Amino acid sequence: MNYENKSFSIKSWAEDDRPREKLLLKGKSALSDAELIAILIGSGSRSESAVDLSKRILNSIDNNINKLGKLSVLDLQKFKGIGEAKAISIITAIELGRRRRLEGALELSKIASSQEVFNIMQPIIGELQHEEFWIIYLNNSNKVLLKEQSSKGGLTGTLVDVRLVFKKAIELFSTGIILCHNHPSGKLQPSNADKLITSKLKSAGDTLDIKVLDHLIITENAYFSFADENLM
């Protein structure tokens, strides 16, 4: 037998080593990230199994699933064995996971901590490559009335119109708001501009008897809370 020309098909593996069969026998939690991706792409090449191809992709991004979610169709097609259809399958699965996290967070009816704000907003702005500033409008029981993008900026900043923020709060009869924006750089420390807009919005809220409860800076994996750090 010519082993060099032998296809490394998952079907030729022991049943316990096949990702699909392993999932059925042992459950989804028993599968590694590479095995889960291998199920998505279905097959490798004549010289590489689907799992080995998946491992190669993951190794290139430090085995970080969040980084995998940032790869485009063209990025994934750079890996030998990944065509357009397989790339789309991977991106679709990652996006479904993101939406599942978002929907789970939105089921929360009342906000009681900065962590809960992060859980809601990270799937929306945590992985963006540009800054966005969002407002969460709350009623007097801290239940979410609305989440709304206030402004969208570039890589290093965004502008916020204080009048529009509180116009919406008044329309909603909101008694409190929470400010959120992301830092694409990954840095959590607030800039002078961040501190200035927080102070400006808090002062306006005090005048209108609408509390600015917190301001969160959100990155891919963490957050900074002005309230937690006693900066409100």
Side-chain angles (χ1 to χ4, degrees), residues 143-177:
K143 289 186 177 181
V144 177
L145 298 172
L146 177 71
K147 303 185 316 303
E148 185 173 71
Q149 182 194 96
S150 176
S151 61
K152 179 177 178 179
L155 292 172
T156 58
T158 183
L159 299 173
V160 181
D161 190 322
V162 176
R163 295 167 298 180
L164 291 179
V165 169
F166 286 101
K167 178 177 181 291
K168 178 62 70 174
I170 291 169
E171 290 173 353
L172 293 169
F173 296 100
S174 175
T175 59
I177 64 174

mmCIF file of all heavy atoms in Angstrom, residues 143-177:
data_model
loop_
_atom_site.group_PDB
_atom_site.id
_atom_site.type_symbol
_atom_site.label_atom_id
_atom_site.label_comp_id
_atom_site.label_asym_id
_atom_site.label_seq_id
_atom_site.Cartn_x
_atom_site.Cartn_y
_atom_site.Cartn_z
ATOM 1 N N LYS A 143 -34.574 48.173 35.213
ATOM 2 C CA LYS A 143 -34.899 47.311 34.084
ATOM 3 C C LYS A 143 -34.566 48.046 32.791
ATOM 4 O O LYS A 143 -34.753 49.263 32.691
ATOM 5 C CB LYS A 143 -36.371 46.913 34.112
ATOM 6 C CG LYS A 143 -36.704 45.935 35.235
ATOM 7 C CD LYS A 143 -38.137 45.442 35.136
ATOM 8 C CE LYS A 143 -38.422 44.404 36.218
ATOM 9 N NZ LYS A 143 -39.814 43.889 36.136
ATOM 10 N N VAL A 144 -34.056 47.300 31.826
ATOM 11 C CA VAL A 144 -33.614 47.907 30.573
ATOM 12 C C VAL A 144 -34.817 48.319 29.734
ATOM 13 O O VAL A 144 -35.680 47.504 29.398
ATOM 14 C CB VAL A 144 -32.734 46.929 29.771
ATOM 15 C CG1 VAL A 144 -32.336 47.547 28.437
ATOM 16 C CG2 VAL A 144 -31.504 46.545 30.575
ATOM 17 N N LEU A 145 -34.858 49.610 29.380
ATOM 18 C CA LEU A 145 -35.885 50.123 28.487
ATOM 19 C C LEU A 145 -35.413 50.102 27.038
ATOM 20 O O LEU A 145 -36.169 49.823 26.121
ATOM 21 C CB LEU A 145 -36.251 51.559 28.876
ATOM 22 C CG LEU A 145 -36.836 51.764 30.272
ATOM 23 C CD1 LEU A 145 -36.958 53.254 30.567
ATOM 24 C CD2 LEU A 145 -38.195 51.081 30.379
ATOM 25 N N LEU A 146 -34.116 50.390 26.858
ATOM 26 C CA LEU A 146 -33.574 50.477 25.502
ATOM 27 C C LEU A 146 -32.056 50.471 25.567
ATOM 28 O O LEU A 146 -31.462 51.016 26.494
ATOM 29 C CB LEU A 146 -34.045 51.780 24.828
ATOM 30 C CG LEU A 146 -33.521 52.072 23.418
ATOM 31 C CD1 LEU A 146 -34.155 51.118 22.401
ATOM 32 C CD2 LEU A 146 -33.806 53.516 23.020
ATOM 33 N N LYS A 147 -31.435 49.847 24.590
ATOM 34 C CA LYS A 147 -29.997 49.981 24.353
ATOM 35 C C LYS A 147 -29.863 50.673 23.007
ATOM 36 O O LYS A 147 -30.461 50.248 22.027
ATOM 37 C CB LYS A 147 -29.290 48.620 24.267
ATOM 38 C CG LYS A 147 -29.455 47.746 25.447
ATOM 39 C CD LYS A 147 -28.613 46.488 25.320
ATOM 40 C CE LYS A 147 -28.674 45.843 23.948
ATOM 41 N NZ LYS A 147 -30.033 45.493 23.522
ATOM 42 N N GLU A 148 -29.062 51.724 22.947
ATOM 43 C CA GLU A 148 -28.982 52.476 21.692
ATOM 44 C C GLU A 148 -27.571 52.995 21.453
ATOM 45 O O GLU A 148 -26.917 53.509 22.360
ATOM 46 C CB GLU A 148 -29.957 53.653 21.726
ATOM 47 C CG GLU A 148 -30.040 54.419 20.425
ATOM 48 C CD GLU A 148 -31.135 55.465 20.442
ATOM 49 O OE1 GLU A 148 -30.966 56.483 21.146
ATOM 50 O OE2 GLU A 148 -32.153 55.283 19.758
ATOM 51 N N GLN A 149 -27.123 52.856 20.209
ATOM 52 C CA GLN A 149 -25.827 53.426 19.827
ATOM 53 C C GLN A 149 -25.964 54.934 19.751
ATOM 54 O O GLN A 149 -26.822 55.459 19.041
ATOM 55 C CB GLN A 149 -25.404 52.870 18.469
ATOM 56 C CG GLN A 149 -24.039 53.375 18.008
ATOM 57 C CD GLN A 149 -23.804 53.075 16.542
ATOM 58 O OE1 GLN A 149 -24.026 53.920 15.681
ATOM 59 N NE2 GLN A 149 -23.355 51.858 16.249
ATOM 60 N N SER A 150 -25.129 55.624 20.495
ATOM 61 C CA SER A 150 -25.157 57.081 20.488
ATOM 62 C C SER A 150 -24.270 57.653 19.392
ATOM 63 O O SER A 150 -24.603 58.651 18.767
ATOM 64 C CB SER A 150 -24.707 57.619 21.855
ATOM 65 O OG SER A 150 -24.641 59.025 21.845
ATOM 66 N N SER A 151 -23.135 57.011 19.175
ATOM 67 C CA SER A 151 -22.225 57.483 18.130
ATOM 68 C C SER A 151 -21.267 56.379 17.734
ATOM 69 O O SER A 151 -21.087 55.390 18.444
ATOM 70 C CB SER A 151 -21.451 58.714 18.589
ATOM 71 O OG SER A 151 -20.656 58.411 19.718
ATOM 72 N N LYS A 152 -20.660 56.577 16.584
ATOM 73 C CA LYS A 152 -19.733 55.599 16.033
ATOM 74 C C LYS A 152 -18.510 56.358 15.550
ATOM 75 O O LYS A 152 -18.635 57.360 14.834
ATOM 76 C CB LYS A 152 -20.404 54.845 14.878
ATOM 77 C CG LYS A 152 -19.546 53.800 14.195
ATOM 78 C CD LYS A 152 -20.384 53.110 13.127
ATOM 79 C CE LYS A 152 -19.577 52.080 12.369
ATOM 80 N NZ LYS A 152 -20.398 51.381 11.340
ATOM 81 N N GLY A 153 -17.336 55.897 15.942
ATOM 82 C CA GLY A 153 -16.128 56.630 15.596
ATOM 83 C C GLY A 153 -15.115 55.786 14.871
ATOM 84 O O GLY A 153 -15.442 54.765 14.263
ATOM 85 N N GLY A 154 -13.866 56.211 14.967
ATOM 86 C CA GLY A 154 -12.775 55.522 14.303
ATOM 87 C C GLY A 154 -12.052 54.595 15.248
ATOM 88 O O GLY A 154 -12.623 54.038 16.175
ATOM 89 N N LEU A 155 -10.769 54.440 15.017
ATOM 90 C CA LEU A 155 -9.968 53.526 15.823
ATOM 91 C C LEU A 155 -9.689 54.072 17.213
ATOM 92 O O LEU A 155 -9.436 53.327 18.148
ATOM 93 C CB LEU A 155 -8.634 53.238 15.113
ATOM 94 C CG LEU A 155 -8.717 52.440 13.813
ATOM 95 C CD1 LEU A 155 -7.353 52.415 13.141
ATOM 96 C CD2 LEU A 155 -9.186 51.016 14.084
ATOM 97 N N THR A 156 -9.715 55.391 17.358
ATOM 98 C CA THR A 156 -9.240 55.981 18.612
ATOM 99 C C THR A 156 -10.262 56.839 19.343
ATOM 100 O O THR A 156 -9.972 57.354 20.411
ATOM 101 C CB THR A 156 -8.007 56.857 18.346
ATOM 102 O OG1 THR A 156 -8.340 57.879 17.388
ATOM 103 C CG2 THR A 156 -6.866 56.011 17.798
ATOM 104 N N GLY A 157 -11.454 56.997 18.820
ATOM 105 C CA GLY A 157 -12.394 57.836 19.546
ATOM 106 C C GLY A 157 -13.729 58.002 18.873
ATOM 107 O O GLY A 157 -13.918 57.638 17.726
ATOM 108 N N THR A 158 -14.665 58.570 19.622
ATOM 109 C CA THR A 158 -15.997 58.839 19.103
ATOM 110 C C THR A 158 -16.547 60.046 19.837
ATOM 111 O O THR A 158 -16.117 60.382 20.934
ATOM 112 C CB THR A 158 -16.906 57.610 19.309
ATOM 113 O OG1 THR A 158 -18.176 57.868 18.747
ATOM 114 C CG2 THR A 158 -17.060 57.268 20.771
ATOM 115 N N LEU A 159 -17.525 60.719 19.228
ATOM 116 C CA LEU A 159 -18.125 61.903 19.819
ATOM 117 C C LEU A 159 -19.516 61.569 20.336
ATOM 118 O O LEU A 159 -20.203 60.718 19.783
ATOM 119 C CB LEU A 159 -18.204 63.030 18.787
ATOM 120 C CG LEU A 159 -16.860 63.508 18.212
ATOM 121 C CD1 LEU A 159 -17.103 64.509 17.081
ATOM 122 C CD2 LEU A 159 -15.998 64.124 19.298
ATOM 123 N N VAL A 160 -19.926 62.254 21.391
ATOM 124 C CA VAL A 160 -21.230 61.998 21.996
ATOM 125 C C VAL A 160 -21.986 63.314 22.114
ATOM 126 O O VAL A 160 -21.451 64.306 22.621
ATOM 127 C CB VAL A 160 -21.081 61.369 23.395
ATOM 128 C CG1 VAL A 160 -22.444 61.092 23.996
ATOM 129 C CG2 VAL A 160 -20.258 60.091 23.321
ATOM 130 N N ASP A 161 -23.230 63.338 21.641
ATOM 131 C CA ASP A 161 -24.077 64.521 21.743
ATOM 132 C C ASP A 161 -24.912 64.394 23.015
ATOM 133 O O ASP A 161 -25.852 63.595 23.081
ATOM 134 C CB ASP A 161 -24.976 64.638 20.510
ATOM 135 C CG ASP A 161 -25.706 65.976 20.444
ATOM 136 O OD1 ASP A 161 -26.128 66.466 21.505
ATOM 137 O OD2 ASP A 161 -25.848 66.514 19.330
ATOM 138 N N VAL A 162 -24.562 65.172 24.026
ATOM 139 C CA VAL A 162 -25.223 65.099 25.331
ATOM 140 C C VAL A 162 -26.715 65.376 25.210
ATOM 141 O O VAL A 162 -27.551 64.723 25.847
ATOM 142 C CB VAL A 162 -24.564 66.086 26.318
ATOM 143 C CG1 VAL A 162 -25.314 66.091 27.644
ATOM 144 C CG2 VAL A 162 -23.104 65.710 26.543
ATOM 145 N N ARG A 163 -27.081 66.330 24.359
ATOM 146 C CA ARG A 163 -28.496 66.689 24.219
ATOM 147 C C ARG A 163 -29.326 65.532 23.699
ATOM 148 O O ARG A 163 -30.434 65.276 24.181
ATOM 149 C CB ARG A 163 -28.625 67.891 23.276
ATOM 150 C CG ARG A 163 -27.988 69.174 23.812
ATOM 151 C CD ARG A 163 -27.867 70.215 22.733
ATOM 152 N NE ARG A 163 -26.991 69.759 21.645
ATOM 153 C CZ ARG A 163 -26.711 70.472 20.568
ATOM 154 N NH1 ARG A 163 -27.235 71.668 20.405
ATOM 155 N NH2 ARG A 163 -25.904 69.988 19.644
ATOM 156 N N LEU A 164 -28.796 64.804 22.712
ATOM 157 C CA LEU A 164 -29.537 63.681 22.150
ATOM 158 C C LEU A 164 -29.673 62.534 23.144
ATOM 159 O O LEU A 164 -30.694 61.843 23.176
ATOM 160 C CB LEU A 164 -28.848 63.189 20.874
ATOM 161 C CG LEU A 164 -28.895 64.136 19.672
ATOM 162 C CD1 LEU A 164 -28.151 63.532 18.494
ATOM 163 C CD2 LEU A 164 -30.335 64.453 19.283
ATOM 164 N N VAL A 165 -28.629 62.338 23.951
ATOM 165 C CA VAL A 165 -28.677 61.279 24.966
ATOM 166 C C VAL A 165 -29.836 61.505 25.925
ATOM 167 O O VAL A 165 -30.635 60.592 26.196
ATOM 168 C CB VAL A 165 -27.350 61.209 25.746
ATOM 169 C CG1 VAL A 165 -27.496 60.290 26.966
ATOM 170 C CG2 VAL A 165 -26.226 60.719 24.852
ATOM 171 N N PHE A 166 -29.972 62.730 26.414
ATOM 172 C CA PHE A 166 -31.011 62.995 27.409
ATOM 173 C C PHE A 166 -32.369 63.259 26.780
ATOM 174 O O PHE A 166 -33.403 63.084 27.450
ATOM 175 C CB PHE A 166 -30.564 64.121 28.337
ATOM 176 C CG PHE A 166 -29.511 63.669 29.310
ATOM 177 C CD1 PHE A 166 -28.170 63.955 29.098
ATOM 178 C CD2 PHE A 166 -29.847 62.888 30.410
ATOM 179 C CE1 PHE A 166 -27.194 63.507 29.971
ATOM 180 C CE2 PHE A 166 -28.881 62.434 31.289
ATOM 181 C CZ PHE A 166 -27.549 62.738 31.072
ATOM 182 N N LYS A 167 -32.396 63.653 25.531
ATOM 183 C CA LYS A 167 -33.681 63.754 24.812
ATOM 184 C C LYS A 167 -34.346 62.386 24.774
ATOM 185 O O LYS A 167 -35.545 62.252 25.045
ATOM 186 C CB LYS A 167 -33.451 64.275 23.396
ATOM 187 C CG LYS A 167 -34.717 64.369 22.532
ATOM 188 C CD LYS A 167 -34.379 64.973 21.180
ATOM 189 C CE LYS A 167 -35.627 65.105 20.311
ATOM 190 N NZ LYS A 167 -36.170 63.808 19.876
ATOM 191 N N LYS A 168 -33.565 61.368 24.446
ATOM 192 C CA LYS A 168 -34.095 60.006 24.416
ATOM 193 C C LYS A 168 -34.496 59.543 25.816
ATOM 194 O O LYS A 168 -35.526 58.877 25.990
ATOM 195 C CB LYS A 168 -33.052 59.057 23.824
ATOM 196 C CG LYS A 168 -33.464 57.597 23.779
ATOM 197 C CD LYS A 168 -34.692 57.355 22.899
ATOM 198 C CE LYS A 168 -34.348 57.551 21.433
ATOM 199 N NZ LYS A 168 -35.483 57.170 20.556
ATOM 200 N N ALA A 169 -33.699 59.882 26.819
ATOM 201 C CA ALA A 169 -34.019 59.494 28.195
ATOM 202 C C ALA A 169 -35.356 60.083 28.635
ATOM 203 O O ALA A 169 -36.170 59.409 29.282
ATOM 204 C CB ALA A 169 -32.900 59.933 29.132
ATOM 205 N N ILE A 170 -35.587 61.329 28.278
ATOM 206 C CA ILE A 170 -36.845 61.988 28.645
ATOM 207 C C ILE A 170 -38.017 61.347 27.910
ATOM 208 O O ILE A 170 -39.086 61.115 28.493
ATOM 209 C CB ILE A 170 -36.755 63.497 28.339
ATOM 210 C CG1 ILE A 170 -35.749 64.155 29.305
ATOM 211 C CG2 ILE A 170 -38.124 64.160 28.453
ATOM 212 C CD1 ILE A 170 -35.379 65.568 28.934
ATOM 213 N N GLU A 171 -37.827 61.041 26.629
ATOM 214 C CA GLU A 171 -38.886 60.392 25.840
ATOM 215 C C GLU A 171 -39.281 59.047 26.432
ATOM 216 O O GLU A 171 -40.447 58.654 26.388
ATOM 217 C CB GLU A 171 -38.419 60.201 24.392
ATOM 218 C CG GLU A 171 -38.298 61.493 23.600
ATOM 219 C CD GLU A 171 -37.667 61.266 22.231
ATOM 220 O OE1 GLU A 171 -37.209 60.129 21.961
ATOM 221 O OE2 GLU A 171 -37.629 62.220 21.438
ATOM 222 N N LEU A 172 -38.303 58.332 26.977
ATOM 223 C CA LEU A 172 -38.543 56.991 27.531
ATOM 224 C C LEU A 172 -38.974 57.025 29.000
ATOM 225 O O LEU A 172 -39.252 55.982 29.585
ATOM 226 C CB LEU A 172 -37.271 56.144 27.414
ATOM 227 C CG LEU A 172 -36.811 55.780 26.001
ATOM 228 C CD1 LEU A 172 -35.408 55.169 26.053
ATOM 229 C CD2 LEU A 172 -37.783 54.804 25.360
ATOM 230 N N PHE A 173 -38.991 58.214 29.601
ATOM 231 C CA PHE A 173 -39.232 58.370 31.034
ATOM 232 C C PHE A 173 -38.214 57.563 31.829
ATOM 233 O O PHE A 173 -38.524 56.950 32.856
ATOM 234 C CB PHE A 173 -40.664 57.934 31.409
ATOM 235 C CG PHE A 173 -41.728 58.778 30.775
ATOM 236 C CD1 PHE A 173 -42.396 58.340 29.644
ATOM 237 C CD2 PHE A 173 -42.054 60.026 31.303
ATOM 238 C CE1 PHE A 173 -43.371 59.109 29.043
ATOM 239 C CE2 PHE A 173 -43.035 60.807 30.710
ATOM 240 C CZ PHE A 173 -43.692 60.356 29.570
ATOM 241 N N SER A 174 -36.992 57.553 31.334
ATOM 242 C CA SER A 174 -35.915 56.824 31.989
ATOM 243 C C SER A 174 -35.432 57.591 33.209
ATOM 244 O O SER A 174 -35.303 58.820 33.175
ATOM 245 C CB SER A 174 -34.761 56.640 30.999
ATOM 246 O OG SER A 174 -33.653 56.040 31.625
ATOM 247 N N THR A 175 -35.149 56.858 34.274
ATOM 248 C CA THR A 175 -34.640 57.506 35.490
ATOM 249 C C THR A 175 -33.141 57.283 35.683
ATOM 250 O O THR A 175 -32.541 57.857 36.584
ATOM 251 C CB THR A 175 -35.376 56.980 36.730
ATOM 252 O OG1 THR A 175 -35.191 55.570 36.817
ATOM 253 C CG2 THR A 175 -36.863 57.304 36.640
ATOM 254 N N GLY A 176 -32.566 56.436 34.834
ATOM 255 C CA GLY A 176 -31.125 56.183 34.935
ATOM 256 C C GLY A 176 -30.568 55.704 33.616
ATOM 257 O O GLY A 176 -31.276 55.107 32.800
ATOM 258 N N ILE A 177 -29.289 55.996 33.398
ATOM 259 C CA ILE A 177 -28.624 55.519 32.184
ATOM 260 C C ILE A 177 -27.247 54.958 32.538
ATOM 261 O O ILE A 177 -26.653 55.317 33.566
ATOM 262 C CB ILE A 177 -28.470 56.624 31.111
ATOM 263 C CG1 ILE A 177 -27.557 57.750 31.610
ATOM 264 C CG2 ILE A 177 -29.824 57.156 30.684
ATOM 265 C CD1 ILE A 177 -27.238 58.803 30.530
#
